[in-house]
């Protein structure tokens, strides 16, 4: 990193970019991979779990998997030279769709924070755009974070689209409060529960991060951070950031 480059916090720098990077979520990875390989992908996905376990990261990886055109055998959705082989469980990270999604600038992947867009008017505006085909991608993907924050009227407006979705639209919902979602919405989603990450897995991950950052930190300190993280990768990386700053980040 150059001297003029802005510092990127560890939670962003080490955010997973493909399914194999997801920490401690082997069951989810296996299920999603099998669903992609067998072509049994739902039109709506629900990702649940406590904060910091990777719900939003998983949603973005899934959006890339749905639209990647750079993996072996993949074809662009609008390529006339060959048949589109569909989504891949191993997004390449290099094609125009993967890069644009990673940089939060893909016109066909919309990420909405339900906490600040709770009303029925916000949902109607979203739904109005669902009927249009994607501009360049295979699917138009709607990622709605903290979906439990939507109002009852907003859920009712969304429900009709979930009942009869257009083939080019995919919805990915993320929530920490799955019990607050209407049963009518739950029943129309393919649900994935992200687990708290166990302490040993977190310890190993934080050790790897410290090594890559060339920082000297005792194993006992890393274990303390992993315990305090309480199953959250993001919280643990934030604590590790603080610990490095507090110790002046002695280089290895």
């Amino acid at each position: 990193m150059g001297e003029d480059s802005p510092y990127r916090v560890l939670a962003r720098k080490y955010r997973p970019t493909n399914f194999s990077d997801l920490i401690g979520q082997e069951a989810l990875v296996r299920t999603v991979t099998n669903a992609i390989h067998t072509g049994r992908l739902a039109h709506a996905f629900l990702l649940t779990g406590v904060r910091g376990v990777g719900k939003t990261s998983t949603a973005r990886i899934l959006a890339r998997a749905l639209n990647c055109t750079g993996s072996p055998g993949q074809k662009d959705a609008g390529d006339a030279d060959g048949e589109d082989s569909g989504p891949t469980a191993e997004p390449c990270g290099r094609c125009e769709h993967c890069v644009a999604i990673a940089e939060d600038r893909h016109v066909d992947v919309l990420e909405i924070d339900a906490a600040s867009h709770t009303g029925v008017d916000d949902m109607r505006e979203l739904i109005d755009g669902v009927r249009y085909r994607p501009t360049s991608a295979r699917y138009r993907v709607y990622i709605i974070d903290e979906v439990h924050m939507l109002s009852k009227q907003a859920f009712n407006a969304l429900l009709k689209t979930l009942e009869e979705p257009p083939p080019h639209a995919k919805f990915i919902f993320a929530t920490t409060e799955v019990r607050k979602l209407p049963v009518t919405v739950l029943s129309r989603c393919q649900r994935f529960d992200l687990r708290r990450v166990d302490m040993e897995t977190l310890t190993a991950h934080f050790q790897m991060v410290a090594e890559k950052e060339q920082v000297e930190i005792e194993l006992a300190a890393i274990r303390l951070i992993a315990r305090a993280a309480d199953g959250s990768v993001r919280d643990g990386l934030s604590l590790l950031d603080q610990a490095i700053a507090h110790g002046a980040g002695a280089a290895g």
Side-chain angles (χ1 to χ4, degrees):
M1 184 188 297
E3 289 185 9
D4 296 330
S5 300
Y7 177 69
R8 292 176 67 201
V9 296
L10 298 181
R12 286 184 61 82
K13 187 174 182 179
Y14 292 95
R15 170 173 267 175
T17 57
N18 53 55
F19 290 122
S20 61
D21 288 342
L22 283 171
I23 307 299
Q25 306 298 342
E26 291 79 8
L28 175 143
V29 171
R30 186 168 57 251
T31 305
V32 174
T33 300
N34 288 342
I36 292 172
H37 285 158
T38 58
R40 300 180 66 86
L41 282 168
H43 61 273
F45 304 86
L46 175 63
L47 306 173
T48 74
V50 299
R51 71 184 189 283
V53 291
K55 297 184 297 299
T56 306
S57 294
T58 301
R60 290 173 179 168
I61 295 167
L62 189 51
R64 291 167 67 178
L66 289 167
N67 285 316
C68 175
T69 57
S71 292
Q74 299 295 307
K75 286 287 184 181
D76 188 275
D79 194 342
D81 296 331
E83 185 178 345
D84 178 21
S85 56
T88 174
E90 299 175 356
C92 69
R94 299 181 303 276
C95 70
E96 60 172 322
H97 301 298
C98 283
V99 172
I101 292 169
E103 295 176 355
D104 298 331
R105 57 175 177 81
H106 201 299
V107 294
D108 292 320
V109 178
L110 287 80
E111 192 168 330
I112 301 146
D113 178 14
S116 54
H117 297 82
T118 60
V120 65
D121 290 338
D122 295 311
M123 198 48 52
R124 282 179 181 150
E125 186 178 338
L126 180 151
I127 291 165
D128 284 344
V130 170
R131 64 177 181 267
Y132 298 112
R133 292 192 58 81
T135 303
S136 62
R138 187 179 293 115
Y139 294 104
R140 186 178 282 266
V141 181
Y142 295 87
I143 299 172
I144 304 183
D145 200 11
E146 299 299 345
V147 69
H148 66 274
M149 300 286 285
L150 292 179
S151 67
K152 183 179 179 181
Q153 291 78 11
F155 273 124
N156 288 339
L158 178 63
L159 192 58
K160 181 65 176 176
T161 302
L162 290 181
E163 288 173 343
E164 300 174 7
H168 59 262
K170 298 286 186 184
F171 292 89
I172 307 174
F173 305 133
T175 180
T176 53
E177 299 281 353
V178 68
R179 291 169 295 179
K180 294 184 179 179
L181 266 64
V183 176
T184 48
V185 171
L186 284 171
S187 65
R188 288 166 175 82
C189 297
Q190 196 171 68
R191 176 174 168 176
F192 298 98
D193 298 315
L194 281 75
R195 301 176 178 276
R196 291 178 186 268
V197 183
D198 67 84
M199 189 175 149
E200 290 305 315
T201 303
L202 285 175
T203 300
H205 182 59
F206 298 155
Q207 275 187 295
M208 179 273 294
V209 170
E211 287 172 7
K212 285 189 174 182
E213 293 294 306
Q214 295 183 308
V215 169
E216 291 179 354
I217 183 166
E218 293 182 7
L219 178 59
I222 290 180
R223 285 185 173 278
L224 281 173
I225 290 169
R227 185 179 293 113
D230 195 26
S232 169
V233 181
R234 187 179 64 217
D235 286 5
L237 287 173
S238 296
L239 288 169
L240 182 60
D241 240 337
Q242 282 184 273
I244 292 171
H246 183 72

